[in-house]
Amino acid sequence: MTTRIGVVTFPGSLDDVDARRAIRLAGAEPVALWHRDKSLNQVDAVVLPGGFSYGDYLRCGAIARFSPVMETIVDQARAGLPVLGICNGFQVLCESHLLPGALTRNDHLHFVCRDQRLRVENADTAWTSDYAEGQEITVPLKNGEGGYVADERTLDELEATGRVVFRYLDVNPNGSRRDIAGICNEAGNVVGLMPHPEHAVEALTGPTTDGLGFFTSVLKKLVAS
């Protein structure tokens, strides 16, 4: 049976098509999901893509968090459904309380777009098993409100429990606390990060193909389960 991975489109999503292409290149079937539909159409995993859902009005991800599809995603994620939030998707996961903390305006108050080096801190999640702990990868980054913040107790807990999944290398592009680029929930099935792995899946268009491992990781986990 073909593994089906859904990609949600919100008003203002920009990278949903890129995410579906990355899923197809990894060997799974991409399934388009619409924000107003509660049904996930029997997908095996979900990607919340980058963009500017609802124009980033109020706060990034704060309106998308109330979309009908998110009610189902929150329930199923808590039951073990693998969910990946990329950039705006990471913001939506935090606003939905599937992940702790929040994403705030970049500390330099400018939009940043660059190829970003990252270190893989946790290779045991549903989305990172094809990497090695300590591996360094390069994927594009593009955000204006990508600074990850949380209180000290939450940051300490994330560190102590291995829930920091990625950390920025060379430069902290947005002021994220402790150079955090991505985190996961306790079960490891929900991962959020600001950089864009879906833009690094083909040598022709990406700075590397380092991002493909996200999608092959979850595919292997789903096939094995």
Side-chain angles (χ1 to χ4, degrees), residues 133-213:
E133 184 176 329
Q135 183 176 347
E136 298 179 6
I137 64 174
T138 300
V139 298
L141 172 78
K142 50 175 185 172
N143 64 71
E145 296 178 275
Y148 179 74
V149 297
D151 61 75
E152 289 298 323
R153 185 174 69 174
T154 298
L155 292 170
D156 288 342
E157 181 180 349
L158 290 173
E159 301 270 17
T161 56
R163 291 170 58 194
V164 175
V165 182
F166 296 96
R167 217 179 295 268
Y168 295 116
L169 293 178
D170 298 333
V171 62
N172 185 324
N174 45 36
S176 290
R177 297 295 308 278
R178 305 191 190 183
D179 298 328
I180 291 173
I183 61 173
C184 67
N185 65 344
E186 292 183 12
N189 61 301
V190 179
V191 171
L193 79 162
M194 286 310 296
H196 286 262
E198 79 282 14
H199 294 327
V201 295
E202 294 179 282
L204 178 63
T205 57
T208 66
T209 58
D210 292 346
L212 192 59

Side-chain angles (χ1 to χ4, degrees), residues 66 91-92 146 165 217 224:
F66 292 102
Q91 296 161 339
V92 174
V165 182
S217 291

